[in-house]
Amino acid sequence: MALTPQTRRFIEAVTAAMPEIGPGADPVELREARRKRPPIEGPEVALVRDLAAPGPAGDIPLRWYRPDPEDASAPGIVFYHGGGFVLGDLASHDHICRILAASTGAVVVAVDYRLAPEHRYPAAVDDAFAAARWIADNAADLGIDPARLAVAGDSAGGNLAAVTTQKARDEGGPELCYQALIYPVTDFSGYGAGAPYPSRTENGDGYFLTGAAMAWFNEQYLSDGQEREPGASPLFADSFADLPPALVLTADFDPLRDEGEEYARRLADAGVPTTTVRVNDGFHGMFGFGEFLPSAKRAEEAVAAALRDAFAAVAGDRAR
């Protein structure tokens, strides 16, 4: 199977417009180049406001999206952006948060965690977990029903969402009802020293995210010997039991496809209700481009439907 011409042209256009990520790249220059790109417009949301949560190294910037300010107890989504733990911020994923808020009716709170290499692992994990706890503790003020609080994220953000659920289980909360993992990083081992998953070689070049870029992100984020720590690679957790139900969304032409699907298998084998969706004609980074690509639209609809169903299930259980 090959990419459709429409998707191939889209990837080529996006790749040509961005500096190459890999050996020798400068994180500051990459961030600046991304900030100069025109913002991607998302749907209107009734209320959008910047907030901050106390974190282990100072305030953690947040962005609060509230689709219905009159709903004092809506479901909630803690969202972690992607970008290889090096790139991304509240602005880069604003359109994705708007899509999630508009399509699920949930309050979305985006987390602007610290980035590498200035702040290496576990800084992002510490911020992600601290933000989730603060959001849960302040759910009433944010218009969120604490029994219907989920985590979600794409790529590096999917990693942080998965790790946050493990830490919440092991460290006494917060209670999370669902995890939506969008082509997550689950296993940092083997980049630059072999490929334990076929998708890393099959899709390692020509599909936006490259194997060279992943190896570079690894070098920026982790120190030697940390690749198999569960906080970095959630696939190496001691246990996958008693975690929230999950959606793991992967893409045909993504080097991270196989590790995401392996994580889904581990969850399911541990008795966690898990749905795996592989998007045909999909690639890493497609989420949020549903206006332009049918595959991206299918991905957005799958995530929104899974979250709506999860929130409805909690409400149904409570009503019985």
Side-chain angles (χ1 to χ4, degrees):
M1 183 183 297
L3 286 171
T4 62
Q6 179 185 11
T7 301
R8 170 56 68 192
R9 288 192 298 269
F10 187 88
I11 291 175
E12 290 172 352
V14 172
T15 302
M18 295 180 59
E20 185 174 352
I21 299 173
D26 181 88
V28 175
E29 291 179 1
L30 289 172
R31 291 174 200 152
E32 186 60 28
R34 288 199 166 196
R35 290 191 189 103
K36 291 178 180 177
R37 292 164 53 196
I40 302 169
E41 297 294 332
E44 288 293 324
V45 176
L47 185 152
V48 179
R49 185 176 298 165
D50 287 346
L51 306 172
D59 283 351
I60 304 166
L62 308 175
R63 186 166 290 172
W64 178 38
Y65 301 80
R66 195 169 179 183
D68 182 1
E70 300 302 316
D71 188 350
S73 190
I77 302 169
V78 182
F79 183 80
Y80 305 109
H81 67 76
F85 304 93
V86 177
L87 307 172
D89 53 28
L90 297 177
S92 67
H93 285 62
D94 178 77
H95 65 297
I96 291 178
C97 293
R98 289 171 178 271
I99 289 168
L100 290 174
S103 61
T104 65
V107 172
V108 176
V109 185
V111 180
D112 198 12
Y113 53 88
R114 286 172 290 165
L115 298 176
E118 297 89 341
H119 307 283
R120 297 167 70 86
Y121 169 81
V125 172
D126 292 342
D127 285 358
F129 187 55
R133 277 197 156 167
W134 184 87
I135 292 163
D137 289 345
N138 292 274
D141 292 336
L142 296 170
I144 294 172
D145 174 2
R148 294 187 292 162
L149 182 63
V151 290
D154 66 312
S155 191
N159 171 288
L160 293 173
V163 170
T164 294
T165 67
Q166 294 180 6
K167 288 178 68 66
R169 176 197 61 189
D170 297 340
E171 299 185 25
E175 292 294 326
L176 300 168
C177 74
Y178 202 72
Q179 52 181 320
L181 312 180
I182 303 165
Y183 34 70
V185 181
T186 67
D187 183 354
F188 264 109
S189 67
Y191 283 106
Y197 305 101
S199 63
R200 290 189 182 177
T201 51
E202 294 169 3
N203 303 325
D205 193 33
Y207 302 105
F208 187 60
L209 177 66
T210 66
M214 277 305 304
W216 182 81
F217 286 133
N218 183 331
E219 292 171 0
Q220 307 306 306
Y221 182 52
L222 301 178
S223 301
D224 289 345
Q226 293 180 325
E227 291 82 0
R228 292 173 179 263
E229 292 188 16
S233 296
L235 197 56
F236 291 96
D238 292 334
S239 171
F240 299 90
D242 302 317
L243 292 171
L247 167 71
V248 181
L249 184 136
T250 65
D252 268 355
F253 296 95
D254 183 355
L256 305 189
R257 181 194 69 208
D258 293 349
E259 66 192 76
E261 292 176 1
E262 178 60 24
Y263 192 74
R265 280 190 287 271
R266 300 284 183 91
L267 291 173
D269 288 347
V272 175
T274 304
T275 301
T276 307
V277 174
R278 182 190 291 190
V279 179
N280 296 327
D281 197 42
F283 62 96
H284 196 91
M286 67 181 171
F287 200 89
F289 290 109
E291 180 181 353
F292 309 102
L293 294 172
S295 57
K297 187 65 174 177
R298 293 196 301 272
E300 293 163 16
E301 290 172 346
V303 172
L307 286 162
R308 289 195 304 266
D309 289 348
F311 297 142
V314 174
D317 289 344
R318 186 162 48 194
R320 282 197 287 270

